[in-house]
Amino acid sequence: MLGGAGLLLAASPAQAADISYRTECIPPPISGLPAVQGTTVVQLTAPAEAKVGDTVEVVWKTVEAASKNPDVLDLDKDTVKPTGTIKVGGAATGTLQMEGPRQNPPIPKNSAMVLPDMKGTLKLEKAGEITLTPDAYNINVSKPISTDTKCSPKETVQPGATIKVTDGGGSTTAGGTSSGSTSGSTTGGTTSGSTAAGGTTSGSTSGSTAGGTSSGSTTAGGATAGSGGGRTDFPGKEVSVHFTCTSPGPADIASKVTINAKKSGGSYALTVKTAKGVMDSPAALPAGALKPSMDVVIGGADKGSVKVTGPANAAPLEQGKPVDLADMTGTYKPGASGKSTLSPGTLTIDVTLGASKINIPCKVKGSVTPSLELDTTAQQGGASGSTTTGSTGSAAGGTASGGGLAATGAEDNGTLRALGLVAGTAILLGGAVFTFTPWRRLRGTR
């Protein structure tokens, strides 16, 4: 990378030429979406002539981005920031880092992307002709959460400007670079990492099926708790659970889950704990944005499920840092007498950005060992075959509601499209959908 220094000059008339090249733009990896192909048109401005020892300014103007802002989301004023790289060749070799301000007019849906000019400075340390060729660039959007799309050439790009450097009596030493060549200042391009602002498809029902669950039919390893002797606290056993999330979520994830119970009258207050650092945050999220819930499956003598919920994150989440899900709580009111088991069921992550809510259900894959077994006594209005809401214990029908966009009727790409129509759940920038899937990487140990 070339380093800039010295007096900034605009020696001799500046030159500018349009250069177009085929471009591939890569959405954030967590989106699971294919690359987008397009054409970028760039105009580079730099002095035609200068002397050794001069520091010159280079300007990158994006005449045409790889594609339009699709018909999904309006981009607010001053939310777009580009950074890029110019290849330096000829009498010198290296790279020049370019950076633009976070400055743009409002960009409506289905209109051309408007990017601010990027600038960089170049210290000339060797005589000869130096070529400047536009290369890869990155576009960051700051709202509703910070996301990046990375674009790179898919063909050989022609130089956009040439500087004729003459020996003005200054030093021609390498300045510490391996090529002994020109060096440009690093302008501190900002890359926020691959995140998407957007959502996942949630067209399927997120609730677990109520009743008839074979996983609770035996006491296989679950902690057994009798109700006699005045005992009120019943700790569960930590069990391993594999989940499958709705597309475009990950195919398979794993975590440790523990279900504890505290007896109160004829009902039980449940507390469900997941593993520490259960996932890495794929983006910077504000406080109150991420909230977990789970459908605890009831088996054995009783049947049904109980929804438990946890509070949203109290503090902002940093991109790439481990996230601990809050403990989830709810009330289990037995609907049958005998030995009843409690097992982990569908885990749901709700992400709220402004007025938009993203629902990400992750269902249990295969069988799961019950975490807790209780000696229950039937209560009027208890579970017995129904799904109950954890906060009140009242009956809520046969299965839990999927929420989100379950009623859109969209499937596959249609689901992605339907979700994209919710403001704040998806950002399409240069044709790349930035899908936010916070459940991309789960960790299975405490």
Side-chain angles (χ1 to χ4, degrees):
M1 188 172 292
L2 302 174
L7 180 64
L8 181 64
L9 299 176
S12 80
Q15 55 176 319
D18 287 356
I19 299 296
S20 63
Y21 53 95
R22 288 187 290 106
T23 307
E24 181 178 70
C25 293
I26 307 295
I30 61 172
S31 70
L33 298 174
V36 176
Q37 308 299 324
T39 299
T40 301
V41 180
V42 173
Q43 184 182 93
L44 295 185
T45 301
E49 296 181 358
K51 295 180 179 180
V52 171
D54 289 350
T55 297
V56 299
E57 181 178 72
V58 180
V59 179
W60 171 320
K61 179 180 180 62
T62 304
V63 178
E64 182 180 331
S67 71
K68 294 181 179 181
N69 179 34
D71 187 19
V72 173
L73 183 68
D74 294 334
L75 300 181
D76 292 340
K77 182 177 184 294
D78 297 340
T79 58
V80 178
K81 177 184 177 70
T83 54
T85 303
I86 289 178
K87 288 184 177 180
V88 180
T93 58
T95 57
L96 173 62
Q97 299 302 310
M98 307 293 288
E99 180 180 9
R102 192 174 297 282
Q103 183 178 21
N104 61 279
I107 304 176
K109 305 169 189 175
N110 197 32
S111 63
M113 290 298 301
V114 181
L115 304 179
D117 292 350
M118 295 184 282
K119 296 182 179 181
T121 55
L122 194 65
K123 175 71 180 296
L124 306 177
E125 297 181 344
K126 189 175 182 180
E129 288 194 348
I130 295 176
T131 59
L132 304 174
T133 304
D135 195 39
Y137 61 97
N138 181 85
I139 302 173
N140 174 264
V141 175
S142 61
K143 292 182 179 180
I145 60 174
S146 180
T147 57
D148 289 273
T149 185
K150 301 179 184 298
C151 300
S152 58
K154 297 304 292 180
E155 64 178 331
T156 300
V157 184
Q158 297 301 311
T162 301
I163 304 175
K164 183 178 181 180
V165 183
T166 58
D167 189 351
S171 171
T172 58
T173 59
T177 63
S178 60
S179 63
S181 63
T182 304
S183 65
S185 68
T186 301
T187 58
T190 301
T191 301
S192 300
S194 297
T195 70
T200 72
T201 57
S202 57
S204 62
T205 301
S206 66
S208 63
T209 56
T213 303
S214 61
S215 64
S217 61
T218 69
T219 60
T224 302
S227 59
R231 184 181 176 189
T232 58
D233 293 323
F234 306 102
K237 178 182 179 180
E238 182 181 79
V239 294
S240 297
V241 187
H242 291 269
F243 296 95
T244 298
C245 296
T246 301
S247 177
D252 186 50
I253 57 180
S255 180
K256 301 286 188 180
V257 178
T258 304
I259 302 174
N260 300 320
K262 184 178 181 68
K263 196 169 189 293
S264 177
S267 299
Y268 296 85
L270 304 183
T271 300
V272 178
K273 297 177 179 288
T274 56
K276 297 290 185 181
V278 71
M279 66 179 181
D280 289 344
S281 179
L285 292 176
L290 188 150
K291 184 176 181 180
S293 64
M294 179 181 284
D295 293 308
V296 176
V297 177
I298 307 167
D302 205 358
K303 295 292 187 288
S305 64
V306 177
K307 181 172 286 295
V308 292
T309 60
N313 56 302
L317 302 178
E318 297 182 38
Q319 180 178 332
K321 296 297 181 66
V323 176
D324 297 339
L325 295 182
D327 291 349
M328 294 166 278
T329 59
T331 302
Y332 165 45
K333 190 174 185 179
S337 298
K339 294 186 180 295
S340 301
T341 59
L342 301 177
S343 305
T346 297
L347 176 65
T348 301
I349 300 297
D350 288 321
V351 179
T352 302
L353 299 172
S356 302
K357 185 176 180 180
I358 305 163
N359 179 269
I360 306 166
C362 297
K363 295 186 177 182
V364 172
K365 179 181 180 181
S367 62
V368 61
T369 300
S371 175
L372 182 62
E373 182 184 75
L374 298 170
D375 287 332
T376 59
T377 301
Q379 304 293 313
Q380 185 175 2
S384 193
S386 68
T387 295
T388 61
T389 59
S391 59
T392 64
S394 60
T399 60
S401 171
L405 295 177
T408 61
E411 297 179 359
D412 300 325
N413 291 336
T415 306
L416 290 174
R417 177 65 177 172
L419 188 60
L421 294 177
V422 181
T425 62
I427 289 179
L428 278 79
L429 185 57
V433 178
F434 291 62
T435 305
F436 178 67
T437 309
W439 204 249
R440 174 57 60 180
R441 290 183 293 174
L442 287 177
R443 297 176 178 178
T445 59
R446 289 184 179 269

